[in-house]
Amino acid sequence: MYHRTERRMEDLRGYLKMLAETPDAELEAECRREATELEGEIDRLEVAYFLTGEHDHMSAFMTIRPGAGGTEAQDWAQMLMRMYLRWAEDRKFKTEVVDLSAGEEAGIKGVTILFDARFAFGLLKAERGVHRLVRISPFDANDRRHTSFAEVDLVPKLDEDIKVDIRDEDIRVDTFRASGAGGQLVNKTSSAVRITHIPSGVVVTCQNERSQHQNRANAMAVLQGRLYELERQKQEDKLTVLRGERKAVEFGSQIRSYVFMPYQQVKDLRTGLELHDVPKVMDGGIDPFITAWLRQQAKARRAKS
């Protein structure tokens, strides 16, 4: 890709030289289109340069959980789920909702999504942390402003050649009827699976497939990722190897704030980047935040070396 981009830049320089010698409206328009495409291609090259971590090339499981606040927080968690699914759709990433627990009035109590694409983990690790929303609540009859929180967590989907030893005697598998949408068959059969890893206390639930076998396979894949991460943390004696510092899902711990009222702004508190087109961000336009965070991390690594 680098050499192709380099050739396109050389061609563009040639066209610009021709344009300077002989002005031509059609050629000028073509140069502008090419320059815009090249800008995007260079941005993608820069991001690829940053994705050099051990697990960056892997697919990823993302879990979104609402913080305290009942329906407000659950609605915010669902809004984030939509945002990430739209982002993945724009990138042509394959996604699968492997577990979804619906809220009682609105929103969701939690969701786990598989982003099945190369470099999904490397890109989405920028989103790990607490996300804060400020808006006029649609659930408040007095139209008061509310603040809600949700946590985004991420683990890699391990390659088949990376083995995590999970002994049968260390897990408890429970089956139950799925609680969400999915048709009569899903809700009338005990197809949902909950796996508890007894030594660590890690619990994983999957219920979105009609097949109990498929739900179990998905749950084991998520469990492997989480246990692998825990082991890495123990070995390196720090909590930020893969997951990053885990914070309470409350005020003061957020990585990003989304303000709908009294003004419109999305601000990343780690990089300082601010965007004011809130609808675009909520429609999946989060690449500027991802790139800024990856750039910041690369700069920090260079400073240490």
Side-chain angles (χ1 to χ4, degrees), residues 110-219:
V111 65
T112 297
I113 307 167
L114 169 61
F115 292 84
D116 193 4
R118 187 167 172 79
F119 291 110
F121 180 76
L123 293 167
L124 287 171
K125 66 184 181 182
E127 299 302 295
R128 191 168 38 199
V130 177
H131 296 244
R132 171 177 175 250
L133 169 68
V134 179
R135 66 170 175 174
I136 301 297
S137 171
F139 307 103
D140 189 327
N142 296 314
D143 292 331
R144 290 174 293 189
R145 190 171 64 184
H146 284 245
T147 300
S148 306
F149 299 90
E151 180 191 32
V152 174
D153 194 15
L154 201 75
V155 294
K157 183 178 186 296
L158 299 180
D159 294 335
E160 292 183 0
D161 58 344
I162 298 178
K163 301 297 182 182
V164 177
D165 184 23
I166 302 177
R167 300 185 304 170
D168 290 342
E169 56 266 34
D170 286 343
I171 62 173
R172 184 175 70 248
V173 180
D174 300 306
T175 59
F176 56 98
R177 293 183 181 180
S179 59
Q184 292 181 345
L185 181 59
V186 169
N187 295 319
K188 288 187 176 181
T189 62
S190 297
S191 59
V193 174
R194 180 188 301 110
I195 300 179
T196 303
H197 186 252
I198 299 169
S200 67
V202 173
V203 180
V204 176
T205 303
C206 288
Q207 60 176 320
N208 265 46
E209 297 293 335
R210 292 189 174 189
S211 162
Q212 184 184 117
H213 175 76
Q214 185 59 50
N215 279 326
R216 176 168 178 148
N218 286 337

Side-chain angles (χ1 to χ4, degrees), residues 8-74:
R8 290 184 67 179
M9 290 179 65
E10 286 298 323
D11 290 342
L12 180 59
R13 290 191 189 99
Y15 296 146
L16 290 172
K17 185 177 179 181
M18 291 169 55
L19 188 62
E21 295 173 353
T22 309
D24 180 272
E26 187 176 340
L27 180 58
E28 180 180 356
E30 179 62 30
C31 286
R32 290 183 184 276
R33 283 194 296 270
E34 182 68 7
T36 300
E37 290 183 11
L38 272 172
E39 185 178 8
E41 200 165 292
I42 290 169
D43 286 344
R44 289 190 291 273
L45 277 171
E46 182 185 27
V47 170
Y49 172 76
F50 295 145
L51 300 179
T52 57
E54 181 181 359
H55 305 88
D56 285 355
H57 67 284
M58 295 181 179
S59 298
F61 288 104
M62 173 184 284
T63 299
I64 305 172
R65 307 180 186 91
T71 301
E72 271 290 330
Q74 291 173 13

